[in-house]
Structures are given as C-alpha cells and as structure tokens.
Amino acid sequence: MNERNEPIGRDDVPDLSRCVEPDPVSAPAVAGSGANLTALIADAEALHAILGDTRARAGRLTGALRRYPERERLMASALAALEHLELPEVTA
C-alpha cells in the first residue's frame, strides 16, 4: 500500500495474473493438498493487499473530488478580483 498518499502509476499496479479463482471441480481436492492450499492462501493475501491499495486510492480520489467545488469557487473569486484591478496597459 502506498503510505505517502501519492498517485499510483501504472507501473505500481500489482500483477493480478496469480489471482485466479480455483476450478470448482478441483476445489474439494484442496482440503487434502497442502500445495494447493498454500497457493490459495498466497492468492488471498495478494488480493487482500490489492484491495487495501484500491481502498486507499479510492479514498484519495473521493477526497480530491470533494475538494473540487471549493477549488472552483476560489478560482472564480480570484479571477473576479483580478478583473476589478485597474492595472496600467503594458506595451511591448
């Protein structure tokens, strides 16, 4: 998970190719097979990490979207204030 709240680029996205649903036909064999159970646990841990990262990214996006109207209002206010200033003409 990105602890510094920085945007996550495409290169930072974890490899999801290992996170594949188990075949329902072979699922009963998992209980007797340590290797398959180990792989499933590893997939569950990888999925947990990915979901945590996704949750953090969604939180940052939600915060940015909530701040957007305030930023728009501040920008409009600043532009309106600039329009009222009487600045001398600059000639090149």
Side-chain angles (χ1 to χ4, degrees):
M1 193 177 310
N2 190 342
E3 296 296 329
R4 295 175 290 176
N5 292 334
E6 296 174 353
I8 296 175
R10 188 173 282 277
D11 295 335
D12 297 328
V13 176
D15 179 23
L16 300 178
S17 62
R18 294 182 333 123
C19 299
V20 178
E21 291 185 30
D23 181 18
V25 175
S26 63
V30 170
S33 172
N36 287 340
L37 183 58
T38 303
L40 288 174
I41 291 171
D43 282 347
E45 289 173 345
L47 181 60
H48 185 267
I50 291 166
L51 290 174
D53 181 54
T54 303
R55 185 173 144 241
R57 292 172 70 183
R60 288 191 300 271
L61 177 60
T62 301
L65 290 172
R66 285 183 178 155
R67 288 186 301 273
Y68 185 78
E70 180 183 350
R71 291 174 65 188
E72 285 293 310
R73 188 174 58 250
L74 290 172
M75 182 62 77
S77 170
L79 290 175
L82 287 174
E83 287 177 356
H84 292 299
L85 289 177
E86 294 181 18
L87 300 175
E89 289 277 329
V90 177
T91 57

